[in-house]
Amino acid sequence: MSGITVGFLIFAVLLALLVVRVPIGIAMFAVGAGGYVYLSGGDTLPLLNSLKNLAYARLSNYDLIVIPLFLLMGQFATHGGLSRALFRFVTAFIGHYKGGVALASIGACAGFGAICGSSLATAATMGQVALPELKRYNYAGSLATGALAAGGTLGIMIPPSVPLVVYAILTQESIGKLFVAAVIPGLIAVIGYMVVIKILVTWKPALGPEDRALSGRSASKRCWKYFRYCWFL
């Protein structure tokens, strides 16, 4: 078999292992090692030599050390309650508008994405925080899950971004310049998602009911409260 055929085959095996709940790291190592041995003519010595050298080379790369640190920072933010504080903060400003809780979910995803740099972590974390609130205010399931799925993509668009770091390393570009270049597209994406949600709830009012609990004076008080909280924080 050619290398491309082997690649497709081990990818199918990888998907099958993931379906039966084999841990991702073990599944990737197993299929990768098997494919490497097959393409090496059944000799395991090249594989052992590669493991001896490449494992240390990848783990000792100074540039890539920022990736686990970004993820660690996201875990600290999650367990420290920052994700919930971000959601409450944005909800205090725009939650009283029609579809405001869905809009707040986008804003909170943008804020959390600027902390961890991972779309999966952003979508998973904000899904745990925002989805119960969206259900509590009787948002349509399609709008609730769609808003969180779209907001999760902001994790890799708004700096710091893990894919941007990897791309910068592979292309020998400046990580700082890529981060600066990604700010405007990230903000455009945030505004675009919010505009789409606003159009949807205006077109089909049943998708996103207005949050009466956050209307009028109550919204102003909550905005001021969370502004002072974040200022002192």
Side-chain angles (χ1 to χ4, degrees):
M1 290 188 294
S2 64
I4 296 178
T5 305
V6 173
F8 281 117
L9 180 61
I10 63 175
F11 183 71
V13 175
L14 173 63
L15 293 180
L17 292 176
L18 295 179
V19 168
V20 297
R21 296 183 178 274
V22 176
I24 295 177
I26 296 176
M28 293 180 65
F29 178 79
V31 298
Y36 194 95
V37 171
Y38 177 82
L39 294 176
S40 300
D43 188 5
T44 60
L45 186 60
L47 174 63
L48 296 177
N49 290 332
S50 298
L51 291 176
K52 179 181 65 176
N53 299 324
L54 291 179
Y56 175 77
R58 295 295 179 265
L59 294 175
S60 62
N61 191 320
Y62 176 77
D63 295 326
L64 292 177
I65 195 63
V66 299
I67 296 177
L69 290 179
F70 284 161
L71 299 178
L72 179 63
M73 184 166 56
Q75 288 296 315
F76 285 157
T78 301
H79 293 287
L82 183 58
S83 56
R84 296 184 182 276
L86 279 171
F87 180 72
R88 291 197 301 265
F89 175 76
V90 181
T91 304
F93 279 92
I94 60 178
H96 56 286
Y97 295 109
K98 188 171 184 61
V101 181
L103 297 176
S105 301
I106 299 296
C109 285
F112 192 81
I115 297 173
C116 72
S118 169
S119 287
L120 292 177
T122 300
T125 301
M126 298 314 302
Q128 295 177 354
V129 174
L131 191 57
E133 294 296 317
L134 290 166
K135 290 181 177 179
R136 185 160 70 94
Y137 289 109
N138 298 320
Y139 278 73
S142 58
L143 178 62
T145 54
L148 292 173
T153 62
L154 298 172
I156 62 172
M157 295 184 65
I158 297 180
S161 170
V162 171
L164 283 181
V165 173
V166 176
Y167 177 81
I169 294 172
L170 293 177
T171 59
Q172 299 298 313
E173 291 290 338
S174 170
I175 297 177
K177 289 182 179 179
L178 288 178
F179 280 179
V180 172
V183 171
I184 300 300
L187 294 178
I188 292 175
V190 173
I191 296 173
Y193 291 156
M194 290 185 174
V195 169
V196 170
I197 290 175
K198 194 64 179 177
I199 292 174
L200 286 175
V201 297
T202 303
W203 179 37
K204 294 183 178 180
L207 290 176
E210 184 178 0
D211 183 1
R212 300 294 180 182
L214 293 174
S215 60
R217 198 172 195 181
S218 175
S220 300
K221 289 182 178 180
R222 293 194 181 194
C223 288
W224 175 242
K225 172 185 174 183
Y226 282 106
F227 177 79
R228 288 186 300 172
Y229 167 76
C230 292
W231 175 263
F232 287 112
L233 185 62

